[in-house]
Amino acid sequence: MSESSPNDQSRDLPEPDDPDFNSINRFNRALSAHDERGLALALAAFAEDTLGRLLLTYLIDCKQSKDLVEGFNAPLGTLASRMKAAYAVGLLTKEQYEDLEVARKIRNLFAHNWEGVSLSQPDIRAMIGQLHGYNFDQTPMTTEPRDRLQQSISNVLTELRIQISQHRKHRRRAPQVGFRLTTIKPGSGSGV
């Protein structure tokens, strides 16, 4: 049996028992139970979790990576900082970053207002209209605000969860590109 070629699309699909694939399925099923506020908050929370997992999967496996992403006051502990970091190291496309930014802004509107926020508001509807919205099967994306937001962000999160699975499967991590200007190991000097 020959190995699959790099262009073989099937190698990019996660295994049926993959925890990241299972979590996206559970998440998508749960979204229908949420009202608009719950939807906005849940999409952002799942995006934050997904980006944290993506960064930890890709960054060099060390305590410093975990300290950056997890724990109290972690520099990459927020959705905004994780989005920027993932984009800066090439883990997000420009379109994925922009869609997640829309979801983050909508989440903030719902999170910081206790009443009077709706996906039908002209300003929020305009943000949702900026989503790159696409379906994996190339069918047209709905224009109904709730469905467009949910489908667009769920698609991005599905792509990212598959990316996590692929990084794990192929043991891909950030390359170690640091170097020293000497061939002498530190601490083994001439004693001067």
Side-chain angles (χ1 to χ4, degrees):
M1 182 177 206
S2 66
E3 290 210 16
S4 58
S5 71
N7 295 328
D8 182 5
Q9 296 287 335
S10 65
R11 76 179 181 92
D12 290 333
L13 298 176
E15 298 297 320
D17 61 344
D18 182 282
D20 288 303
F21 187 69
N22 289 334
S23 65
I24 195 79
N25 285 333
R26 285 191 320 276
F27 174 71
N28 282 326
R29 283 191 301 270
L31 286 178
S32 62
H34 291 291
D35 63 5
E36 290 183 348
R37 180 181 305 274
L39 174 70
L41 298 176
L43 286 169
F46 196 77
E48 185 175 309
D49 177 67
T50 298
L51 289 166
R53 290 171 186 265
L54 178 60
L55 287 164
L56 287 174
T57 299
Y58 184 71
L59 294 174
I60 294 169
D61 188 16
C62 62
K63 180 186 179 312
Q64 291 81 357
S65 295
K66 288 177 184 72
D67 289 348
L68 279 172
V69 178
E70 297 178 332
F72 177 73
N73 223 13
L76 300 180
T78 67
L79 176 57
S81 63
R82 288 177 181 185
M83 288 168 41
K84 289 174 186 173
Y87 182 64
V89 298
L91 295 172
L92 292 177
T93 67
K94 182 177 186 250
E95 293 80 12
Q96 288 169 327
Y97 177 84
E98 290 170 351
D99 283 357
L100 290 171
E101 182 65 10
V102 167
R104 186 189 68 77
K105 288 177 180 178
I106 292 171
R107 183 269 320 257
N108 285 350
L109 289 171
F110 277 98
H112 298 293
N113 293 290
W114 66 275
E115 69 177 356
V117 180
S118 168
L119 296 177
S120 302
Q121 287 178 214
D123 58 336
I124 296 177
R125 197 177 182 102
M127 282 191 266
I128 292 171
Q130 294 172 4
L131 292 168
H132 293 90
Y134 58 90
N135 287 311
F136 297 130
D137 64 1
Q138 305 303 315
T139 58
M141 176 66 68
T142 180
T143 58
E144 199 280 315
R146 179 191 171 100
D147 292 341
R148 184 175 176 88
L149 175 64
Q150 182 175 334
Q151 286 178 314
S152 296
I153 302 307
S154 290
N155 288 346
V156 170
L157 297 174
T158 298
E159 291 168 337
L160 298 182
R161 290 289 175 140
I162 290 172
Q163 186 182 157
I164 292 167
S165 175
Q166 288 301 298
H167 288 312
R168 285 186 183 138
K169 180 178 179 180
H170 299 289
R171 295 187 173 117
R172 287 191 295 244
R173 291 220 174 246
Q176 180 63 265
V177 295
F179 61 91
R180 296 188 53 95
L181 296 176
T182 181
T183 56
I184 301 169
K185 290 176 84 176
S188 63
S190 61
V192 179

